[in-house]
Amino acid sequence: MSESNKSESKGSGATSRAAAATALFQVLEKGESLSTALPNATAKLSPQDKRLASAISYGVLRVLPTLNKLVGAKLQQPLKGKLKVLHYLLLVGAYQLYCQRIKDHAAVSATVEAAVVLKKRSNKALINGVLRQLLREAPDADENFERHLPEDNAHNHPRWLVQQFETDHGDKAASILRENNQHPPMWLRVNERQFSRDDYMAQLKSEGIDAVPDTEARNAIKLLTPCPVDKLPHFHDGAVSVQDRSAQLAADYLNVDNSHRVLDCCAAPGGKLLHLLERHSFDCPVHAVELDANRIERINENLARQQLSAEVHCADAADPSKWWDGKPFDRILLDAPCSATGVIRRHPDIKWLRRQSDITELAELQGHILNALWETLTPGGELLYATCSVMRVENQSQIETFLKQHSDATLIPIESDQTMVQILPGDADGDGFFYARLKKAQ
């Protein structure tokens, strides 16, 4: 396991390491998501330093138990209180030494100086001493400055999560665990209002960007090497968006045409909504519901970038009385709030922030929303239920329970050999996702 940094970026130094340690502290001590903690910690950094801090933060969270064990063995006593942030700085240092192609002396010196940035100057000797011990006992680096972490904690997941994967997926659990610790590919969704997929791939090739098309999701392209969106041709004109291929399948599975009145629930950040609008010129506005006001801004920003429109409601999908006008919908996409256990490779903080009790609570919420939305669906209409989870209780069991409770609901096979589709992390190089399509009786 190694990051792709081939050398220490010029200008990347102590501030990058300090920012990574701060972000990790906020995630693991305060329960903040990395997607919030990292931008806050890196707000004043250069783009190069932001990229390095991000690579380190994500990497540490992927292999956290192994790094904790390495660092903990070198400390006479755990670092607590005001010194706790130094524990995360040591994880930052250990990650560089084992998993990044950064020269040892650069990794150690910059991490030691990060203690000054964190206002812990008097603890520089501690940081230096622990990292030097790790270096002395570490296996030799190869010609790319890479080492391999010990394999005594190969899963690098909480025990309860490992057990749940094994219960739900049997022999496939090992693959899920392995994929969750990999670096995800960068997938693009081509806006077919502007380019065919083949035409956009030609645009990428002209810019020296290598990519391959997906065999199932018709607008999906995988970049062989991730790159900043600013490098993508016509990105700011809305020609292409970043979206995993598994998520793109929603636009196929919804079975929608221009005559349908469509509802997208729990819509932020708007990727699936935009995909539908890119493909169709609907006779009436698509409605989108999202509870989080801050995430509503993301939806509106994405709509504006692609010069598309929708009726966006900041409301609770589980309470249609607050936002529904009483006119039934022909098609509903419910991208239900879930454990996000299918996207751990993109959000490794999920492993450490999610609790076993969350799964039951989320399943109850999903059922509540599903029941509420069913009342807004026209007879003969269809609802596509989607999650980015691999938990059976949120997926197959959720649909089975719903069918038992609603005699007017039937399950429509999405694919010829599957009534419900469970995509596991890494399948077709995509994220973990679940889909089921329900039809309401006439």
Side-chain angles (χ1 to χ4, degrees), residues 128-165:
N128 186 65
V130 170
L131 295 183
R132 294 293 177 187
Q133 286 185 63
L134 288 174
L135 262 179
R136 283 195 294 271
E137 298 176 14
D140 291 337
D142 62 21
E143 64 275 8
N144 293 318
F145 308 106
E146 288 187 10
R147 296 184 174 88
H148 297 286
L149 284 167
E151 296 183 358
D152 56 344
N153 195 333
H155 292 323
N156 279 300
H157 283 66
R159 183 177 298 277
W160 74 267
L161 196 51
V162 174
Q163 292 173 341
Q164 194 61 58
F165 290 157

Side-chain angles (χ1 to χ4, degrees), residues 219-231:
N219 302 121
I221 293 174
K222 182 177 70 174
L223 299 188
L224 299 187
T225 302
C227 72
V229 294
D230 289 342
K231 303 288 187 183

Side-chain angles (χ1 to χ4, degrees), residues 128-401:
N128 186 65
V130 170
L131 295 183
R132 294 293 177 187
Q133 286 185 63
L134 288 174
L135 262 179
R136 283 195 294 271
E137 298 176 14
D140 291 337
D142 62 21
E143 64 275 8
N144 293 318
F145 308 106
E146 288 187 10
R147 296 184 174 88
H148 297 286
L149 284 167
E151 296 183 358
D152 56 344
N153 195 333
H155 292 323
N156 279 300
H157 283 66
R159 183 177 298 277
W160 74 267
L161 196 51
V162 174
Q163 292 173 341
Q164 194 61 58
F165 290 157
E166 291 172 345
T167 298
D168 286 355
H169 298 286
D171 293 343
K172 295 180 180 179
S175 173
I176 295 172
L177 295 167
R178 182 175 60 253
E179 290 295 332
N180 283 351
N181 290 331
Q182 303 305 308
H183 304 282
M186 184 173 180
W187 284 95
L188 305 180
R189 185 188 76 242
V190 178
N191 180 355
E192 61 183 53
R193 285 177 178 259
Q194 297 189 29
F195 289 96
S196 71
R197 184 168 66 175
D198 287 345
D199 287 343
Y200 193 78
M201 288 190 65
Q203 292 268 339
L204 291 174
K205 186 175 181 180
S206 69
E207 297 293 330
I209 300 173
D210 294 327
V212 294
D214 187 65
T215 57
E216 185 178 5
R218 79 180 199 215
N219 302 121
I221 293 174
K222 182 177 70 174
L223 299 188
L224 299 187
T225 302
C227 72
V229 294
D230 289 342
K231 303 288 187 183
L232 299 173
H234 308 290
F235 174 82
H236 295 291
D237 299 325
V240 69
S241 300
V242 178
Q243 186 182 36
D244 187 80
R245 57 87 57 195
S246 299
Q248 293 186 44
L249 292 171
D252 293 323
Y253 293 163
L254 188 59
N255 187 32
V256 67
D257 66 39
N258 292 343
S259 68
H260 290 140
R261 189 168 194 256
V262 179
L263 171 66
D264 180 3
C265 272
C266 311
K272 299 177 186 66
L273 171 66
L274 268 294
H275 198 184
L276 291 171
L277 294 172
E278 290 166 3
R279 282 192 175 182
H280 301 280
S281 297
F282 292 104
D283 297 338
C284 57
V286 174
H287 289 251
V289 175
E290 171 57 45
L291 181 60
D292 188 331
N294 291 327
R295 302 191 81 204
I296 287 279
E297 293 181 16
R298 290 282 308 280
I299 297 176
N300 289 329
E301 288 170 1
N302 285 326
L303 286 168
R305 181 174 68 89
Q306 294 181 232
Q307 299 182 344
L308 296 169
S309 63
E311 294 287 336
V312 182
H313 308 272
C314 186
D316 185 355
D319 188 4
S321 66
K322 295 294 192 338
W323 53 267
W324 184 40
D325 60 8
K327 298 177 182 178
F329 295 98
D330 302 298
R331 295 290 186 270
I332 296 176
L333 170 59
L334 171 55
D335 191 3
C338 69
S339 63
T341 45
V343 294
I344 285 174
R345 62 182 188 166
R346 296 193 185 278
H347 304 282
D349 51 324
I350 290 169
K351 290 192 290 188
W352 316 115
L353 296 179
R354 189 70 67 224
R355 299 289 179 264
Q356 190 166 14
S357 58
D358 296 341
I359 309 303
T360 301
E361 293 174 5
L362 284 164
E364 291 175 357
L365 175 61
Q366 292 155 3
H368 187 41
I369 296 173
L370 190 51
N371 286 324
L373 292 181
W374 195 247
E375 301 305 312
T376 73
L377 184 66
T378 192
E382 297 178 11
L383 182 150
L384 181 66
Y385 177 83
T387 75
C388 56
S389 169
V390 296
M391 297 295 197
R392 185 174 180 84
V393 69
E394 299 180 272
N395 297 338
Q396 294 90 341
S397 297
Q398 184 71 254
I399 298 303
E400 290 165 0
T401 298

